Amino acid sequence: MESTDEVPMNTQEMAEIARARASFCAFLNVHFTTLPDQEFVGRIREPEFLGALDALAEDSSAPEVATGALLMLGFIRSSLNTNAAALSEELGIDRTRLYRGVSPTYGPPPPCEAVWSKQSTETATVLKALADVYVAAGMAMSAEARERLDYVGIELEFLRLLALREVDAWTAGQEADANSLLQQQSKFIDEHLVPWVPAFVERALKQASTDFYRGHLGMLRGFLSGEQQRLNFLTCSHPDEAAPEEFSE
């Protein structure tokens, strides 16, 4: 994750920044969308996953992300001798309590924008606003989707898809489109993630029972804070010129 005061300006490097953003959204999102079954336990014990966490833990430009990575690493390494089934159960219990909003007496309220938003008390208003954003971007929920439009995992996935489109635009030399996508990502983080996710993280951290999910929560908050600053910087450095109102698939 690069410091915003040393942001490269050529199109290839801008594409790499967007690709890194998309990858990190996917990394964060897997823990919201994937059950920690025994296969999951096997994956987080693999050298590739541990190596990625090691790299994040050494990144001094994102201290909360680095701290979160260290927590996750410590948990995984301390449980390498734990039976996969037992570890899966431990992680599953913590994930359900933190991310599924089972009941008011068991974990925090679910990580959904309408639940945590201070800008609107009407769930329908929040969902309508998000639906309009998704439609304007030419994206629609799949028929198999089980989550609400305002679930944090859906919002992170939307940000990931916008970042991937930005990669394609920079690579194709379509700078106006790339700048438009930068603006859309900055606006989406400002309006639909940063206003509520930190409050959710603060509450969830108090009820987390594993360093694995404590680390994940810290990385989520650190990523959004850092990426908000980075996108604001980039959009000022690359003003949106003659950008289309919508983008097609």
Side-chain angles (χ1 to χ4, degrees), residues 98-101 104 107-127 130 148-152 155 192 195-197 199-200 203:
L98 297 173
Y99 298 157
R100 302 314 302 168
C112 297
E113 182 179 344
V115 175
W116 291 88
S117 175
K118 295 181 179 180
Q119 299 175 347
S120 175
T121 58
E122 295 292 331
T123 297
T125 300
V126 173
L127 295 179
L130 281 167
R148 290 168 38 154
L149 297 180
D150 63 338
Y151 183 63
V152 64
E155 294 192 358
H192 293 287
W196 68 273
V197 170
F200 163 74
R203 177 84 69 86

Side-chain angles (χ1 to χ4, degrees), residues 123-139:
T123 297
T125 300
V126 173
L127 295 179
K128 173 65 164 55
L130 281 167
D132 289 345
V133 170
Y134 298 157
V135 170
M139 299 180 189

